[in-house]
Amino acid sequence: MADDNKPMKYARYAIGEIVLVVIGILIALQINTWNEERKTRIIETKTLKEIRANLEMDLVEMNGDIMVMDSINYAGEVVIDYLENHNEPSYAFNYAAQVARINPHFDPNQGGYSLLNSKGIDIISNDSLRGSISKLYESYYPYYAKYENERITKLNHVILPKFVNYFSIHATEDNYFNSVAEISQKDFLALKNDASFINFLNLAISENKMVQNRAQRTSGYINDLIAQIDKELGDR
């Protein structure tokens, strides 16, 4: 074209070719972006579903622990009342003493959250949901564990040594907790006159109630997060 003195036609042709190439590149980039975004959303959905499944299991365990802590509180009060109003042990007293020394422990399922961390927490597109997930696993769960560990430490180092001074623990299949505490008549009478035992048992009940209160709040956080995840997944 240049040889035929048609520079304008050549220029328009060249520009047209360049524009077509640029458009092709932009389309390819856009398709690639769409594909990457689709893959990210698939990973996000899979991760949210796994986190939700973990939370369901956590909720069952947490609510079960709350019920056990109800039993612990009641059992401790039964033991104190029995010591104040009876002069010999009974199976009911022994069973209550065994329940009062139980120490439930919450072990959250973190497979989904570990997956999220491996993929990068930014794959959660909803800012509010991303923040709620992070708060539960990085704040609420560790805070609950702190309460629980304080109770475990006090029970193991302060309260249980008092129990073993008077009770022997035996395995059994006759009750929910598969064990029972036993005490002799002599030790029962000595226990009645041990004011420090009552003080320690009241301490155990108090500690248990504090942990139970925190467990109830944590259960509420879990329920709220499940509802948020359900809404996010339902919108897709």
Side-chain angles (χ1 to χ4, degrees), residues 61 65 68-69 72 97-106 144 147-157 159-160 177 179 204 207-208 211:
E61 182 178 351
D65 284 352
V68 170
M69 284 185 269
I72 293 170
Q98 166 60 8
V99 174
R101 62 176 287 279
I102 289 172
N103 208 355
H105 173 64
F106 175 65
Y144 177 73
Y147 268 76
E148 196 175 59
N149 288 335
E150 287 176 357
R151 181 196 60 192
I152 290 171
T153 298
K154 288 180 180 177
L155 188 69
N156 288 340
H157 295 93
I159 299 163
L160 287 185
F177 297 103
S179 59
E207 287 289 325
N208 191 67
V211 175

Side-chain angles (χ1 to χ4, degrees), residues 190-232:
L191 184 58
K192 280 178 63 69
N193 295 314
D194 188 346
S196 65
F197 179 84
I198 301 297
N199 291 334
F200 285 139
L201 190 51
N202 278 318
L203 173 63
I205 294 171
S206 177
E207 287 289 325
N208 191 67
K209 286 181 177 178
M210 284 193 293
V211 175
Q212 186 181 36
N213 179 267
R214 178 54 55 179
Q216 289 165 339
R217 291 196 224 175
T218 305
S219 177
Y221 298 144
I222 296 172
N223 268 316
D224 289 344
L225 182 52
I226 289 175
Q228 282 185 267
I229 292 175
D230 284 344
K231 185 178 185 304
E232 182 69 17

Side-chain angles (χ1 to χ4, degrees), residues 15 23 40 70 80 89 140-141 143 150 160 178 180 202 208 233:
I15 291 171
I23 291 173
T40 299
D70 273 333
I80 293 172
Y140 298 146
Y141 275 176
Y143 194 52
E150 287 176 357
L160 287 185
N178 296 320
V180 66
N202 278 318
N208 191 67
L233 293 176

